[in-house]
Amino acid sequence: MLKKLAFITSVFLLCNSAYAGGVSLGATRLIYPTNQNQVVLKIYNSDTTSNYLVQSWVTDENDKKISDFIITPPLFVIKAGSDSLLNVVYTGDKGKLNSNREKLYFLNAKVIPSLNEDERELDNALLISTTTKIKMFMRPSGLKGNSFTSYKEINCSYENGKLKIDNPTQFYMNLTALKIGGKEFSAAEIISPIAALFIRTADRSKDVEYNFINDYGVQIKDNKCNFN
């Protein structure tokens, strides 16, 4: 009799739905104020028949796994039709974080389905694991401005055949559906605090629009960029 084998294929998702198989995260982004000891993220299993194995970790902007965070539980089974909590604790030196701007990390949740009885009887079974990544912003206490209205401070200008989108605030800017003169030129962009994004374009229209995604994952639509 042939030996039963299970092959695991990983699929990586970085999306607004934050959903993998029957398992979904309770938010599409996570804000971690530096004056808090931990933050909590809810995780749901809407599948009424299957259990899933969940493994979680944190990576930096370069997708490198880092040890400055502990997620508990790091590995657990979420049962069918249930929910659970992920506790995220920063264990690094907060004194080394910039005090005047946010820092971006990514929370990763890998979901592996279990085999049902019929699948266990097969000589070969294919398991598809899905890893969902959501943005996690380390936010120092006392930042100037309001994260929900910070998008109003974005400025635009043209320099050397490029559109410059300047973010003078201390918050990350999550923009989608960027348009010049009514034509979409970028589906999504993220601009670091106190930094600028340059996009090459032959168009010099001052009709630049974008949608802004706030801390709750809600899109504030059809915003006009301020031109200097």
Side-chain angles (χ1 to χ4, degrees):
M1 185 174 182
L2 293 175
K3 184 179 180 180
K4 297 174 184 177
L5 299 174
F7 299 93
I8 298 178
T9 303
S10 293
V11 178
F12 292 88
L13 299 175
L14 179 56
C15 58
N16 290 333
S17 62
Y19 181 85
V23 177
S24 60
L25 301 180
T28 61
R29 62 207 58 241
L30 196 59
I31 309 300
Y32 195 135
T34 57
N35 60 357
Q36 292 186 16
N37 293 325
Q38 67 174 11
V39 290
V40 177
L41 178 65
K42 203 159 190 178
I43 183 169
Y44 303 88
N45 182 4
S46 60
D47 193 322
T48 57
T49 59
S50 299
N51 300 331
Y52 290 86
L53 181 67
V54 180
Q55 182 180 22
S56 303
W57 66 93
V58 174
T59 53
D60 62 16
E61 291 181 85
N62 299 314
D63 203 30
K64 180 181 178 181
K65 189 175 181 179
I66 58 176
S67 59
D68 288 343
F69 291 88
I70 294 176
I71 300 180
T72 56
L75 183 68
F76 70 102
V77 174
I78 185 167
K79 294 185 177 181
S82 69
D83 57 63
S84 187
L85 296 175
L86 296 175
N87 298 282
V88 185
V89 180
Y90 183 73
T91 58
D93 185 355
K94 291 184 179 180
K96 293 183 179 180
L97 295 171
N98 286 325
S99 61
N100 69 336
R101 69 192 68 187
E102 291 181 325
K103 186 172 178 59
L104 174 64
Y105 297 96
F106 291 93
L107 186 147
N108 302 258
K110 184 177 184 179
V111 178
I112 304 171
S114 60
L115 290 173
N116 59 37
E117 292 184 5
D118 292 336
E119 291 167 334
R120 292 193 187 99
E121 295 299 321
L122 297 175
D123 289 332
N124 295 284
L126 176 66
L127 294 179
I128 298 178
S129 68
T130 306
T131 301
T132 300
K133 296 173 64 174
I134 65 170
K135 297 181 182 72
M136 181 170 67
F137 300 100
M138 202 73 180
R139 180 172 293 171
S141 56
L143 290 187
K144 297 178 180 179
N146 185 320
S147 64
F148 287 93
T149 59
S150 57
Y151 67 93
K152 296 180 180 180
E153 299 183 45
I154 291 178
N155 297 307
C156 288
S157 60
Y158 288 101
E159 296 182 8
N160 301 319
K162 296 179 181 179
L163 173 67
K164 177 184 178 182
I165 306 177
D166 184 56
N167 174 17
T169 77
Q170 299 175 334
F171 304 95
Y172 272 87
M173 292 292 170
N174 293 271
L175 309 182
T176 62
L178 278 74
K179 298 179 181 179
I180 299 179
K183 296 180 181 179
E184 184 172 303
F185 66 94
S186 180
E189 297 288 349
I190 183 167
I191 311 176
S192 300
I194 318 174
L197 171 73
F198 291 87
I199 300 177
R200 186 172 297 279
T201 175
D203 200 328
R204 293 184 62 85
S205 171
K206 291 189 176 181
D207 178 18
V208 176
E209 294 184 357
Y210 60 88
N211 296 343
F212 169 75
I213 303 178
N214 67 19
D215 290 351
Y216 297 140
V218 176
Q219 289 198 47
I220 311 301
K221 297 183 177 181
D222 303 327
N223 303 288
K224 298 282 189 179
C225 193
N226 305 312
F227 270 83
N228 297 327

